[in-house]
Amino acid sequence: MADKPFDPLSKPALAESIALQLLKSPALAFPPKNKISGAGIYALYYSGNFSPYQPIAKKNKGPNPTVPIYVGKAVPKGSRKGGVGLESKPGNALFGRLSKHAHSIENVSNLNLADFRCRYVVCEDVWITFCETMLIIRFEPLWNVFVEGFGINVPGAGREKQRKSMWDTLHPGRPEAKKLPPNDKSAAELAELVAGFFAGKITPKIGAAEAAANQD
């Protein structure tokens, strides 16, 4: 049987290309010390002592972390209203998004900013969402496809009947999440599910497209 021709524009090939571009960028302190100009995609890496995350934390120690716990996008203001690629100016979208994530982590008691690093790639507006989705497919980061809730800007906003997210249950402390009813599962139960996820016994509960769309 003849080999299938290589298609550099296929989704798997593009996903690998994007991942390689991200991995070539330096792993920086989180949040970055210097302001970033532009919009694009980013990855967060965890290497701390939170017990449920040890399967990836151990792989991320040292100067070259390889297993992101979360990937995301930072789009210019107005892009959600159809402005992408037209009149939207990227400004400091990436720096602002990473700073918001850092603030979320600072609010909780069982995570430490010093245990996180980040990588980012500045992208043209029209590619940002596609690149993010491809990275989620490539890496299946825990906080994207299983432990939902981290990327929400304001937990509970516009969601009157929403319960506390998995992320806010495992990592209590965000002021906005304190107002929400408890999650159906306790932190201990969620920690067991995370162990099952890393062991390959539980598949991702959130698809890549949905995970990308979940960011506010």
Side-chain angles (χ1 to χ4, degrees):
M1 178 184 288
D3 291 338
K4 185 177 180 180
F6 172 66
D7 179 4
L9 297 180
S10 68
K11 286 186 178 180
L14 286 171
E16 191 65 20
S17 173
I18 295 163
L20 288 173
Q21 183 63 33
L22 185 73
L23 291 173
K24 284 196 307 185
S25 63
L28 304 173
F30 174 69
K33 295 178 180 178
N34 299 319
K35 239 176 199 184
I36 303 164
S37 180
I41 53 172
Y42 57 88
L44 303 183
Y45 299 86
Y46 179 72
S47 60
N49 296 322
F50 187 62
S51 180
Y53 298 164
Q54 289 313 292
I56 59 173
K58 292 174 181 177
K59 296 178 181 178
N60 288 333
K61 295 186 185 297
N64 187 34
T66 57
V67 186
I69 196 168
Y70 184 78
V71 301
K73 64 179 178 289
V75 295
K77 289 183 179 180
S79 64
R80 298 182 188 280
K81 298 179 181 179
V84 157
L86 299 176
E87 298 180 357
S88 298
K89 295 182 180 180
N92 297 316
L94 260 172
F95 186 79
R97 187 69 173 162
L98 290 170
S99 296
K100 285 183 178 180
H101 287 329
H103 183 65
S104 287
I105 291 170
E106 282 180 319
N107 276 320
V108 306
S109 60
N110 54 10
L111 295 175
N112 191 324
L113 274 182
D115 296 325
F116 287 85
R117 280 178 290 171
C118 66
R119 286 188 170 101
Y120 68 87
V121 175
V122 175
C123 299
E124 293 291 341
D125 301 355
V126 294
W127 291 106
I128 291 174
T129 297
F130 175 79
C131 289
E132 180 200 27
T133 303
M134 291 298 100
L135 287 172
I136 292 172
I137 291 172
R138 169 70 169 75
F139 291 110
E140 292 191 341
L142 178 70
W143 287 358
N144 291 95
V145 301
F146 195 70
V147 178
E148 48 79 25
F150 174 68
I152 299 173
N153 276 326
V154 183
R159 303 169 173 87
E160 294 180 2
K161 296 182 180 179
Q162 178 180 305
R163 293 183 178 277
K164 194 173 291 186
S165 72
M166 292 175 68
W167 194 89
D168 286 296
T169 302
L170 277 171
H171 307 295
R174 286 200 287 191
E176 301 88 347
K178 291 178 182 178
K179 310 169 192 174
L180 299 175
N183 194 282
D184 291 336
K185 290 183 170 56
S186 68
E189 290 173 320
L190 292 176
E192 287 186 14
L193 291 176
V194 168
F197 175 83
F198 285 134
K201 298 176 182 177
I202 298 176
T203 57
K205 58 172 284 197
I206 305 171
E210 182 184 354
N214 277 347
Q215 286 197 66
D216 286 354

